Amino acid sequence: MKEKVSTQRIVFLDLIKVIAIFLMVANHCVDNVTPMERAEPWYNLWGSVYNSFTRPAIPLFVMVTGILLLPTRMAMGEFYKKKISRLVTPFLVWSVLYNLFPWFTGVMGCEPSSINLFFKWAEPSQTFSDALKNICMIPFNFSAFAVQMWYVYMLIGIYLYLPIFSAWVEKSDKKSQRIFLSIWMVSLFVPYLRNFLTQNLWGECSWNEFGLFYYFAGFSGYLLLGYHLVNYPLQFSKMKKYLLALVAFAIGYGVTMIGFKETTAVPGQSEEMVELFFTFCSPNVALMTFAIFIVCQNATFSNAKLNGFLIKFSICTFGIWMCHYFFVGPIYLLVRSLDAPVLLKVFIENILVLLLSFVFVLIVRSTGKWGKIIMG
């Protein structure tokens, strides 16, 4: 089994990472429309149709992390030193750059409104003091200029937890892992139960936020799911696996798209309600993620050039995550002038941002050791 994993790893894990980074960039391209455009009927329709496809991006990345790092053979201190440092350095560099960017626009004599060409939802302040405040807050949370960094905080948390989780995974069997995953699946319904049933669930109250399923909830389920599906693959024919994936994706996507569309059609919805059906740790997104993973796991590629391209692209995915937001705004301005359907415009923007980010990351990485460190 382990030998099979090692020979297939490049084939399907790199494919998953490329799909995940495409979906992630797609999500940010759809989100980059102006508040006025969000009020248009087309956004509610096409934004729902296209954006709903993007939700498995983060769970797919976490599943890959579980496959590559579980179980870890390193001591806890060694693991933290080698793995977390590779995240923290590019994270700090890019967080500082994003937060200094508004100040740079002022130094270059640009109007404050130019900031919103890159960051639609940020307050356009060009003062160095505001930039410094945002930089000082990096140890605690991301700013409106570095929104995508939320993922790195979460990922660092997973890395801190992973050596402890790994000790159990290494000793657990198939049945034990499936019990964990079954309880985790119940926890996926928590966002909907909180919204439609009661705000506090299973012991949660004003003095306790750690409810019954708290310790089984979150991204740790995706971490184990990836590892489990590789080490205990589904024992069906390839055709049945694809059929299962199709049904799972159709159900998950249907709930995600219809739920988001109906929610956003109501004026004045809270941000929490707008994001409800987009929650990463929800049953509908988990079904979509499972489906994509199963299809990629069973895909076969015999073309050496295609495999080489997937490997090169997957190596750059973390760097693309870091830098792509600098391209989203300008490319959107370019694409919106096209005489084309909205969905096509967003798709073109998606491709251009992804390719430009990829080329930029390749160039920086080619400069040497520090270029690779900065890009992760």
Short mmCIF file of all heavy atoms in Angstrom, two decimals, residues 218-279:
data_model
loop_
_atom_site.label_atom_id
_atom_site.label_comp_id
_atom_site.label_asym_id
_atom_site.label_seq_id
_atom_site.Cartn_x
_atom_site.Cartn_y
_atom_site.Cartn_z
N GLY A 218 -13.98 20.87 12.64
CA GLY A 218 -12.97 21.67 11.96
C GLY A 218 -12.22 20.92 10.88
O GLY A 218 -12.65 19.88 10.39
N PHE A 219 -11.04 21.45 10.54
CA PHE A 219 -10.28 20.94 9.40
C PHE A 219 -9.53 19.65 9.71
O PHE A 219 -8.99 19.02 8.79
CB PHE A 219 -9.30 22.02 8.93
CG PHE A 219 -9.95 23.16 8.21
CD1 PHE A 219 -10.26 24.32 8.88
CD2 PHE A 219 -10.29 23.07 6.87
CE1 PHE A 219 -10.88 25.39 8.23
CE2 PHE A 219 -10.91 24.11 6.20
CZ PHE A 219 -11.21 25.28 6.89
N SER A 220 -9.47 19.24 10.98
CA SER A 220 -8.77 18.00 11.30
C SER A 220 -9.45 16.80 10.62
O SER A 220 -8.80 15.80 10.31
CB SER A 220 -8.73 17.77 12.81
OG SER A 220 -10.04 17.70 13.36
N GLY A 221 -10.76 16.92 10.37
CA GLY A 221 -11.46 15.86 9.66
C GLY A 221 -10.96 15.69 8.24
O GLY A 221 -10.77 14.57 7.75
N TYR A 222 -10.74 16.81 7.55
CA TYR A 222 -10.18 16.75 6.20
C TYR A 222 -8.76 16.20 6.23
O TYR A 222 -8.32 15.49 5.31
CB TYR A 222 -10.18 18.13 5.55
CG TYR A 222 -11.55 18.62 5.15
CD1 TYR A 222 -12.09 19.77 5.72
CD2 TYR A 222 -12.29 17.96 4.18
CE1 TYR A 222 -13.35 20.24 5.35
CE2 TYR A 222 -13.55 18.41 3.81
CZ TYR A 222 -14.07 19.55 4.39
OH TYR A 222 -15.31 20.01 4.03
N LEU A 223 -8.02 16.55 7.28
CA LEU A 223 -6.65 16.06 7.43
C LEU A 223 -6.64 14.54 7.45
O LEU A 223 -5.85 13.89 6.76
CB LEU A 223 -6.08 16.62 8.74
CG LEU A 223 -4.57 16.71 8.92
CD1 LEU A 223 -3.96 17.72 7.95
CD2 LEU A 223 -4.24 17.12 10.35
N LEU A 224 -7.55 13.96 8.25
CA LEU A 224 -7.63 12.50 8.35
C LEU A 224 -8.28 11.88 7.12
O LEU A 224 -7.88 10.80 6.69
CB LEU A 224 -8.42 12.11 9.60
CG LEU A 224 -8.60 10.61 9.84
CD1 LEU A 224 -7.24 9.92 10.02
CD2 LEU A 224 -9.49 10.35 11.05
N LEU A 225 -9.26 12.56 6.54
CA LEU A 225 -9.97 12.01 5.39
C LEU A 225 -9.02 11.76 4.23
O LEU A 225 -9.10 10.72 3.57
CB LEU A 225 -11.09 12.96 4.96
CG LEU A 225 -11.96 12.50 3.78
CD1 LEU A 225 -12.70 11.20 4.12
CD2 LEU A 225 -12.97 13.60 3.40
N GLY A 226 -8.12 12.70 3.95
CA GLY A 226 -7.15 12.50 2.88
C GLY A 226 -6.27 11.29 3.14
O GLY A 226 -6.08 10.43 2.26
N TYR A 227 -5.74 11.23 4.35
CA TYR A 227 -4.88 10.10 4.72
C TYR A 227 -5.65 8.77 4.62
O TYR A 227 -5.12 7.77 4.11
CB TYR A 227 -4.38 10.30 6.16
CG TYR A 227 -3.62 9.13 6.73
CD1 TYR A 227 -2.26 8.98 6.51
CD2 TYR A 227 -4.29 8.17 7.50
CE1 TYR A 227 -1.57 7.89 7.03
CE2 TYR A 227 -3.60 7.08 8.03
CZ TYR A 227 -2.25 6.95 7.80
OH TYR A 227 -1.58 5.88 8.31
N HIS A 228 -6.88 8.77 5.09
CA HIS A 228 -7.68 7.54 5.13
C HIS A 228 -8.01 7.04 3.72
O HIS A 228 -7.91 5.84 3.44
CB HIS A 228 -8.97 7.79 5.91
CG HIS A 228 -9.78 6.57 6.14
ND1 HIS A 228 -9.55 5.69 7.18
CD2 HIS A 228 -10.85 6.06 5.45
CE1 HIS A 228 -10.42 4.70 7.12
NE2 HIS A 228 -11.23 4.91 6.09
N LEU A 229 -8.39 7.94 2.84
CA LEU A 229 -8.79 7.52 1.49
C LEU A 229 -7.62 7.00 0.67
O LEU A 229 -7.80 6.21 -0.26
CB LEU A 229 -9.45 8.70 0.75
CG LEU A 229 -10.85 9.08 1.23
CD1 LEU A 229 -11.34 10.34 0.51
CD2 LEU A 229 -11.84 7.94 1.01
N VAL A 230 -6.41 7.44 1.01
CA VAL A 230 -5.23 6.93 0.31
C VAL A 230 -4.79 5.59 0.87
O VAL A 230 -4.45 4.67 0.11
CB VAL A 230 -4.07 7.96 0.40
CG1 VAL A 230 -2.75 7.32 -0.02
CG2 VAL A 230 -4.37 9.16 -0.48
N ASN A 231 -4.84 5.42 2.18
CA ASN A 231 -4.38 4.18 2.80
C ASN A 231 -5.46 3.11 2.83
O ASN A 231 -5.14 1.92 2.95
CB ASN A 231 -3.87 4.48 4.21
CG ASN A 231 -2.55 5.20 4.20
OD1 ASN A 231 -1.49 4.59 4.08
ND2 ASN A 231 -2.59 6.52 4.28
N TYR A 232 -6.72 3.52 2.75
CA TYR A 232 -7.84 2.58 2.69
C TYR A 232 -8.77 3.00 1.55
O TYR A 232 -9.89 3.46 1.79
CB TYR A 232 -8.60 2.54 4.01
CG TYR A 232 -7.73 2.22 5.20
CD1 TYR A 232 -7.33 3.23 6.09
CD2 TYR A 232 -7.30 0.91 5.45
CE1 TYR A 232 -6.53 2.93 7.18
CE2 TYR A 232 -6.50 0.61 6.55
CZ TYR A 232 -6.11 1.63 7.41
OH TYR A 232 -5.31 1.34 8.49
N PRO A 233 -8.32 2.87 0.31
CA PRO A 233 -9.12 3.35 -0.82
C PRO A 233 -10.42 2.58 -0.96
O PRO A 233 -10.56 1.44 -0.50
CB PRO A 233 -8.20 3.10 -2.02
CG PRO A 233 -7.25 2.04 -1.57
CD PRO A 233 -7.06 2.24 -0.10
N LEU A 234 -11.39 3.23 -1.59
CA LEU A 234 -12.69 2.60 -1.81
C LEU A 234 -12.53 1.36 -2.67
O LEU A 234 -11.83 1.36 -3.68
CB LEU A 234 -13.63 3.60 -2.50
CG LEU A 234 -13.94 4.89 -1.74
CD1 LEU A 234 -14.81 5.81 -2.59
CD2 LEU A 234 -14.61 4.60 -0.41
N GLN A 235 -13.20 0.29 -2.27
CA GLN A 235 -13.07 -0.98 -2.97
C GLN A 235 -14.21 -1.15 -3.98
O GLN A 235 -15.00 -2.09 -3.91
CB GLN A 235 -13.07 -2.13 -1.96
CG GLN A 235 -11.92 -2.09 -0.97
CD GLN A 235 -10.56 -2.14 -1.65
OE1 GLN A 235 -10.32 -3.01 -2.49
NE2 GLN A 235 -9.68 -1.21 -1.30
N PHE A 236 -14.29 -0.20 -4.91
CA PHE A 236 -15.27 -0.27 -5.99
C PHE A 236 -14.52 -0.27 -7.32
O PHE A 236 -13.33 0.04 -7.37
CB PHE A 236 -16.23 0.92 -5.97
CG PHE A 236 -16.93 1.14 -4.67
CD1 PHE A 236 -17.15 2.43 -4.19
CD2 PHE A 236 -17.38 0.08 -3.91
CE1 PHE A 236 -17.80 2.65 -3.00
CE2 PHE A 236 -18.03 0.29 -2.70
CZ PHE A 236 -18.24 1.58 -2.25
N SER A 237 -15.25 -0.58 -8.37
CA SER A 237 -14.68 -0.39 -9.70
C SER A 237 -14.53 1.10 -9.97
O SER A 237 -15.19 1.93 -9.32
CB SER A 237 -15.59 -1.02 -10.76
OG SER A 237 -16.82 -0.32 -10.84
N LYS A 238 -13.68 1.43 -10.92
CA LYS A 238 -13.45 2.84 -11.23
C LYS A 238 -14.75 3.52 -11.68
O LYS A 238 -15.01 4.67 -11.31
CB LYS A 238 -12.38 2.97 -12.31
CG LYS A 238 -12.02 4.41 -12.64
CD LYS A 238 -10.89 4.51 -13.65
CE LYS A 238 -9.57 4.11 -13.04
NZ LYS A 238 -8.43 4.42 -13.95
N MET A 239 -15.57 2.82 -12.44
CA MET A 239 -16.82 3.40 -12.91
C MET A 239 -17.75 3.71 -11.74
O MET A 239 -18.40 4.76 -11.71
CB MET A 239 -17.50 2.44 -13.89
CG MET A 239 -18.76 3.03 -14.53
SD MET A 239 -18.42 4.58 -15.45
CE MET A 239 -17.36 3.92 -16.76
N LYS A 240 -17.83 2.80 -10.77
CA LYS A 240 -18.68 3.04 -9.60
C LYS A 240 -18.16 4.19 -8.76
O LYS A 240 -18.93 4.96 -8.18
CB LYS A 240 -18.79 1.76 -8.77
CG LYS A 240 -19.64 0.67 -9.41
CD LYS A 240 -19.77 -0.53 -8.49
CE LYS A 240 -20.65 -1.60 -9.13
NZ LYS A 240 -20.78 -2.80 -8.26
N LYS A 241 -16.83 4.32 -8.68
CA LYS A 241 -16.25 5.44 -7.95
C LYS A 241 -16.62 6.76 -8.61
O LYS A 241 -16.98 7.73 -7.93
CB LYS A 241 -14.73 5.30 -7.88
CG LYS A 241 -14.24 4.17 -7.00
CD LYS A 241 -12.73 4.06 -7.05
CE LYS A 241 -12.23 2.88 -6.23
NZ LYS A 241 -10.75 2.72 -6.32
N TYR A 242 -16.53 6.81 -9.93
CA TYR A 242 -16.89 8.03 -10.65
C TYR A 242 -18.37 8.35 -10.48
O TYR A 242 -18.76 9.52 -10.35
CB TYR A 242 -16.55 7.90 -12.14
CG TYR A 242 -15.07 7.97 -12.45
CD1 TYR A 242 -14.55 7.36 -13.59
CD2 TYR A 242 -14.19 8.63 -11.60
CE1 TYR A 242 -13.19 7.43 -13.88
CE2 TYR A 242 -12.84 8.70 -11.88
CZ TYR A 242 -12.34 8.09 -13.02
OH TYR A 242 -11.00 8.17 -13.31
N LEU A 243 -19.21 7.32 -10.49
CA LEU A 243 -20.64 7.52 -10.31
C LEU A 243 -20.92 8.05 -8.91
O LEU A 243 -21.72 8.99 -8.73
CB LEU A 243 -21.39 6.21 -10.55
CG LEU A 243 -22.93 6.28 -10.41
CD1 LEU A 243 -23.51 7.27 -11.42
CD2 LEU A 243 -23.53 4.89 -10.60
N LEU A 244 -20.27 7.48 -7.90
CA LEU A 244 -20.41 7.95 -6.53
C LEU A 244 -19.96 9.41 -6.42
O LEU A 244 -20.62 10.23 -5.76
CB LEU A 244 -19.58 7.07 -5.59
CG LEU A 244 -19.53 7.50 -4.12
CD1 LEU A 244 -20.92 7.44 -3.50
CD2 LEU A 244 -18.56 6.62 -3.34
N ALA A 245 -18.85 9.73 -7.06
CA ALA A 245 -18.34 11.10 -7.03
C ALA A 245 -19.32 12.07 -7.70
O ALA A 245 -19.54 13.18 -7.20
CB ALA A 245 -16.98 11.16 -7.74
N LEU A 246 -19.91 11.64 -8.80
CA LEU A 246 -20.87 12.49 -9.51
C LEU A 246 -22.09 12.78 -8.64
O LEU A 246 -22.54 13.94 -8.55
CB LEU A 246 -21.31 11.80 -10.81
CG LEU A 246 -22.37 12.54 -11.65
CD1 LEU A 246 -21.81 13.88 -12.12
CD2 LEU A 246 -22.80 11.68 -12.83
N VAL A 247 -22.61 11.76 -7.99
CA VAL A 247 -23.79 11.95 -7.12
C VAL A 247 -23.43 12.84 -5.94
O VAL A 247 -24.18 13.76 -5.58
CB VAL A 247 -24.31 10.58 -6.63
CG1 VAL A 247 -25.41 10.77 -5.59
CG2 VAL A 247 -24.83 9.76 -7.81
N ALA A 248 -22.29 12.58 -5.31
CA ALA A 248 -21.86 13.37 -4.15
C ALA A 248 -21.67 14.83 -4.53
O ALA A 248 -22.12 15.74 -3.81
CB ALA A 248 -20.57 12.80 -3.57
N PHE A 249 -21.03 15.07 -5.67
CA PHE A 249 -20.79 16.45 -6.09
C PHE A 249 -22.10 17.15 -6.43
O PHE A 249 -22.30 18.33 -6.09
CB PHE A 249 -19.86 16.51 -7.30
CG PHE A 249 -19.39 17.89 -7.63
CD1 PHE A 249 -18.24 18.40 -7.03
CD2 PHE A 249 -20.09 18.70 -8.51
CE1 PHE A 249 -17.80 19.69 -7.31
CE2 PHE A 249 -19.66 19.99 -8.79
CZ PHE A 249 -18.51 20.48 -8.19
N ALA A 250 -23.00 16.45 -7.12
CA ALA A 250 -24.28 17.05 -7.50
C ALA A 250 -25.08 17.46 -6.28
O ALA A 250 -25.65 18.56 -6.23
CB ALA A 250 -25.07 16.06 -8.35
N ILE A 251 -25.12 16.61 -5.26
CA ILE A 251 -25.86 16.95 -4.03
C ILE A 251 -25.19 18.12 -3.32
O ILE A 251 -25.85 19.09 -2.93
CB ILE A 251 -25.94 15.72 -3.10
CG1 ILE A 251 -26.77 14.61 -3.75
CG2 ILE A 251 -26.54 16.12 -1.75
CD1 ILE A 251 -26.75 13.30 -2.98
N GLY A 252 -23.87 18.01 -3.13
CA GLY A 252 -23.16 19.07 -2.43
C GLY A 252 -23.23 20.41 -3.15
O GLY A 252 -23.48 21.45 -2.52
N TYR A 253 -23.03 20.37 -4.46
CA TYR A 253 -23.09 21.61 -5.24
C TYR A 253 -24.50 22.19 -5.24
O TYR A 253 -24.68 23.41 -5.12
CB TYR A 253 -22.63 21.37 -6.68
CG TYR A 253 -22.75 22.60 -7.54
CD1 TYR A 253 -21.81 23.62 -7.46
CD2 TYR A 253 -23.82 22.74 -8.43
CE1 TYR A 253 -21.93 24.76 -8.24
CE2 TYR A 253 -23.94 23.87 -9.21
CZ TYR A 253 -23.00 24.88 -9.11
OH TYR A 253 -23.14 26.01 -9.89
N GLY A 254 -25.50 21.33 -5.38
CA GLY A 254 -26.88 21.81 -5.39
C GLY A 254 -27.24 22.55 -4.12
O GLY A 254 -27.83 23.64 -4.15
N VAL A 255 -26.89 21.97 -2.97
CA VAL A 255 -27.18 22.61 -1.68
C VAL A 255 -26.40 23.93 -1.56
O VAL A 255 -26.95 24.95 -1.13
CB VAL A 255 -26.82 21.68 -0.52
CG1 VAL A 255 -26.93 22.41 0.82
CG2 VAL A 255 -27.71 20.45 -0.53
N THR A 256 -25.14 23.92 -1.96
CA THR A 256 -24.30 25.11 -1.86
C THR A 256 -24.83 26.24 -2.74
O THR A 256 -24.99 27.38 -2.28
CB THR A 256 -22.85 24.78 -2.27
OG1 THR A 256 -22.37 23.69 -1.49
CG2 THR A 256 -21.94 25.98 -2.06
N MET A 257 -25.09 25.94 -3.99
CA MET A 257 -25.51 26.96 -4.94
C MET A 257 -26.89 27.52 -4.62
O MET A 257 -27.09 28.73 -4.55
CB MET A 257 -25.48 26.40 -6.36
CG MET A 257 -25.62 27.46 -7.45
SD MET A 257 -27.34 27.86 -7.87
CE MET A 257 -27.79 26.36 -8.75
N ILE A 258 -27.85 26.63 -4.40
CA ILE A 258 -29.22 27.08 -4.11
C ILE A 258 -29.27 27.83 -2.78
O ILE A 258 -29.92 28.88 -2.66
CB ILE A 258 -30.19 25.89 -4.11
CG1 ILE A 258 -30.26 25.27 -5.52
CG2 ILE A 258 -31.58 26.32 -3.66
CD1 ILE A 258 -31.04 23.98 -5.59
N GLY A 259 -28.58 27.29 -1.78
CA GLY A 259 -28.57 27.95 -0.48
C GLY A 259 -27.97 29.34 -0.55
O GLY A 259 -28.54 30.31 -0.01
N PHE A 260 -26.84 29.49 -1.22
CA PHE A 260 -26.20 30.79 -1.35
C PHE A 260 -27.06 31.75 -2.18
O PHE A 260 -27.22 32.92 -1.83
CB PHE A 260 -24.82 30.63 -2.00
CG PHE A 260 -24.09 31.94 -2.21
CD1 PHE A 260 -23.52 32.60 -1.13
CD2 PHE A 260 -23.98 32.50 -3.47
CE1 PHE A 260 -22.84 33.80 -1.32
CE2 PHE A 260 -23.32 33.70 -3.67
CZ PHE A 260 -22.74 34.35 -2.58
N LYS A 261 -27.61 31.26 -3.27
CA LYS A 261 -28.43 32.11 -4.14
C LYS A 261 -29.65 32.64 -3.41
O LYS A 261 -29.97 33.83 -3.49
CB LYS A 261 -28.85 31.34 -5.39
CG LYS A 261 -29.65 32.15 -6.40
CD LYS A 261 -29.99 31.32 -7.62
CE LYS A 261 -30.78 32.14 -8.62
NZ LYS A 261 -32.08 32.60 -8.09
N GLU A 262 -30.34 31.76 -2.69
CA GLU A 262 -31.54 32.18 -1.98
C GLU A 262 -31.20 33.12 -0.82
O GLU A 262 -31.94 34.07 -0.53
CB GLU A 262 -32.29 30.95 -1.45
CG GLU A 262 -32.86 30.06 -2.54
CD GLU A 262 -33.82 30.81 -3.46
OE1 GLU A 262 -34.68 31.56 -2.94
OE2 GLU A 262 -33.68 30.67 -4.69
N THR A 263 -30.09 32.88 -0.17
CA THR A 263 -29.69 33.72 0.96
C THR A 263 -29.31 35.12 0.50
O THR A 263 -29.75 36.12 1.08
CB THR A 263 -28.51 33.08 1.71
OG1 THR A 263 -28.90 31.79 2.18
CG2 THR A 263 -28.10 33.93 2.91
N THR A 264 -28.50 35.21 -0.54
CA THR A 264 -28.04 36.51 -1.02
C THR A 264 -29.12 37.30 -1.75
O THR A 264 -28.97 38.49 -1.99
CB THR A 264 -26.81 36.35 -1.94
OG1 THR A 264 -27.14 35.43 -3.01
CG2 THR A 264 -25.62 35.82 -1.17
N ALA A 265 -30.21 36.62 -2.12
CA ALA A 265 -31.31 37.33 -2.79
C ALA A 265 -32.09 38.21 -1.83
O ALA A 265 -32.84 39.10 -2.25
CB ALA A 265 -32.25 36.32 -3.46
N VAL A 266 -31.91 37.97 -0.52
CA VAL A 266 -32.62 38.74 0.50
C VAL A 266 -31.75 39.93 0.91
O VAL A 266 -30.63 39.75 1.38
CB VAL A 266 -32.91 37.88 1.75
CG1 VAL A 266 -33.62 38.70 2.81
CG2 VAL A 266 -33.74 36.66 1.36
N PRO A 267 -32.24 41.17 0.71
CA PRO A 267 -31.45 42.35 1.04
C PRO A 267 -31.15 42.43 2.54
O PRO A 267 -31.93 42.00 3.38
CB PRO A 267 -32.35 43.52 0.61
CG PRO A 267 -33.33 42.92 -0.34
CD PRO A 267 -33.54 41.52 0.11
N GLY A 268 -29.97 42.96 2.85
CA GLY A 268 -29.62 43.22 4.25
C GLY A 268 -29.19 42.01 5.05
O GLY A 268 -29.19 42.07 6.28
N GLN A 269 -28.83 40.93 4.38
CA GLN A 269 -28.39 39.75 5.12
C GLN A 269 -27.06 40.02 5.82
O GLN A 269 -26.20 40.74 5.32
CB GLN A 269 -28.20 38.57 4.16
CG GLN A 269 -29.49 38.00 3.61
CD GLN A 269 -30.19 37.10 4.62
OE1 GLN A 269 -29.96 37.19 5.81
NE2 GLN A 269 -31.08 36.25 4.12
N SER A 270 -26.88 39.43 6.99
CA SER A 270 -25.61 39.56 7.69
C SER A 270 -24.52 38.80 6.95
O SER A 270 -24.80 37.89 6.15
CB SER A 270 -25.73 39.01 9.11
OG SER A 270 -25.96 37.61 9.08
N GLU A 271 -23.26 39.16 7.22
CA GLU A 271 -22.14 38.48 6.58
C GLU A 271 -22.11 37.00 6.93
O GLU A 271 -21.80 36.16 6.10
CB GLU A 271 -20.82 39.15 6.99
CG GLU A 271 -19.61 38.61 6.26
CD GLU A 271 -18.34 39.36 6.60
OE1 GLU A 271 -18.44 40.43 7.24
OE2 GLU A 271 -17.26 38.89 6.23
N GLU A 272 -22.46 36.68 8.18
CA GLU A 272 -22.48 35.28 8.62
C GLU A 272 -23.52 34.48 7.85
O GLU A 272 -23.28 33.33 7.46
CB GLU A 272 -22.77 35.20 10.12
CG GLU A 272 -21.65 35.70 11.01
CD GLU A 272 -21.55 37.21 11.05
OE1 GLU A 272 -22.51 37.90 10.64
OE2 GLU A 272 -20.50 37.72 11.51
N MET A 273 -24.69 35.10 7.58
CA MET A 273 -25.73 34.41 6.85
C MET A 273 -25.36 34.24 5.38
O MET A 273 -25.64 33.19 4.78
CB MET A 273 -27.04 35.19 6.97
CG MET A 273 -28.25 34.42 6.47
SD MET A 273 -28.55 32.94 7.47
CE MET A 273 -29.80 32.12 6.47
N VAL A 274 -24.72 35.25 4.81
CA VAL A 274 -24.29 35.16 3.42
C VAL A 274 -23.30 34.01 3.23
O VAL A 274 -23.32 33.30 2.23
CB VAL A 274 -23.66 36.50 2.97
CG1 VAL A 274 -22.95 36.34 1.62
CG2 VAL A 274 -24.72 37.58 2.87
N GLU A 275 -22.42 33.82 4.22
CA GLU A 275 -21.39 32.79 4.12
C GLU A 275 -21.85 31.41 4.60
O GLU A 275 -21.08 30.45 4.52
CB GLU A 275 -20.16 33.22 4.92
CG GLU A 275 -19.45 34.45 4.38
CD GLU A 275 -18.68 34.15 3.10
OE1 GLU A 275 -18.35 32.97 2.85
OE2 GLU A 275 -18.42 35.11 2.33
N LEU A 276 -23.06 31.30 5.11
CA LEU A 276 -23.50 30.07 5.75
C LEU A 276 -23.33 28.85 4.86
O LEU A 276 -22.75 27.83 5.28
CB LEU A 276 -24.96 30.20 6.19
CG LEU A 276 -25.58 28.94 6.83
CD1 LEU A 276 -24.84 28.58 8.11
CD2 LEU A 276 -27.06 29.17 7.12
N PHE A 277 -23.83 28.89 3.63
CA PHE A 277 -23.76 27.73 2.75
C PHE A 277 -22.40 27.58 2.08
O PHE A 277 -22.17 26.61 1.35
CB PHE A 277 -24.87 27.81 1.69
CG PHE A 277 -26.24 27.57 2.25
CD1 PHE A 277 -27.01 28.63 2.73
CD2 PHE A 277 -26.75 26.29 2.34
CE1 PHE A 277 -28.27 28.40 3.26
CE2 PHE A 277 -28.01 26.06 2.88
CZ PHE A 277 -28.77 27.12 3.35
N PHE A 278 -21.50 28.54 2.31
CA PHE A 278 -20.14 28.47 1.80
C PHE A 278 -19.16 27.96 2.85
O PHE A 278 -17.97 27.90 2.60
CB PHE A 278 -19.69 29.85 1.32
CG PHE A 278 -20.10 30.17 -0.11
CD1 PHE A 278 -20.92 29.32 -0.82
CD2 PHE A 278 -19.66 31.33 -0.72
CE1 PHE A 278 -21.30 29.60 -2.12
CE2 PHE A 278 -20.02 31.62 -2.02
CZ PHE A 278 -20.85 30.77 -2.73
N THR A 279 -19.66 27.63 4.04
CA THR A 279 -18.78 27.19 5.13
C THR A 279 -17.98 25.97 4.71
O THR A 279 -18.54 24.98 4.25
CB THR A 279 -19.62 26.86 6.38
OG1 THR A 279 -20.43 27.98 6.73
CG2 THR A 279 -18.71 26.52 7.56
#
